Amino acid sequence: MQVGGKIGPLTVIGVPGKSVGEVAFHWPERRLLIVGDAVVGNPPGRLGLLREKVMDEPARLRESVRQLLAIEFDTLLVGDGESVLQDARQRLRELVDLFPK
């Protein structure tokens, strides 16, 4: 699995900072983004990050998450917490707006 490569309809996107090899998967035709636990659905209906002590490089992860906003998606599936099934890009933007500048 290589960043930028495809697995079926999914494009592999690097999300460095959480842990080594962290990736997300984008399905453009479905406007779907699968992020594992790079982003968590907590509290329900909103997005957050795990505690910094479980991240390899918190600042790098925040930058990786900020870069996900360049992708077009409506649904965000997470590995931890509650997925966001509509307006997910806006929920991600709200999270990024809370990051230190």
Side-chain angles (χ1 to χ4, degrees), residues 10-48:
L10 305 175
T11 302
V12 180
I13 300 165
V15 190
K18 162 58 178 73
S19 54
V20 175
E22 189 80 29
V23 294
F25 301 97
H26 182 228
W27 190 348
E29 295 79 13
R30 298 281 175 111
R31 297 182 59 87
L32 173 71
L33 184 62
I34 304 166
V35 294
D37 63 357
V39 175
V40 297
N42 187 19
R46 301 198 48 209
L47 298 169

Side-chain angles (χ1 to χ4, degrees), residues 20-88:
V20 175
E22 189 80 29
V23 294
F25 301 97
H26 182 228
W27 190 348
E29 295 79 13
R30 298 281 175 111
R31 297 182 59 87
L32 173 71
L33 184 62
I34 304 166
V35 294
D37 63 357
V39 175
V40 297
N42 187 19
R46 301 198 48 209
L47 298 169
L49 298 177
L50 293 172
R51 294 177 315 280
E52 286 196 4
K53 69 181 182 178
V54 300
M55 298 178 200
D56 287 349
E57 299 177 62
R60 189 169 185 200
L61 177 61
R62 287 190 295 271
E63 183 55 33
S64 294
V65 170
R66 183 177 279 112
Q67 291 175 4
L68 292 175
L69 289 172
I71 298 168
E72 293 295 325
F73 62 93
D74 296 322
T75 302
L76 186 79
L77 303 181
V78 297
D80 191 356
E82 199 171 299
S83 294
V84 179
L85 305 180
Q86 56 187 352
D87 298 324

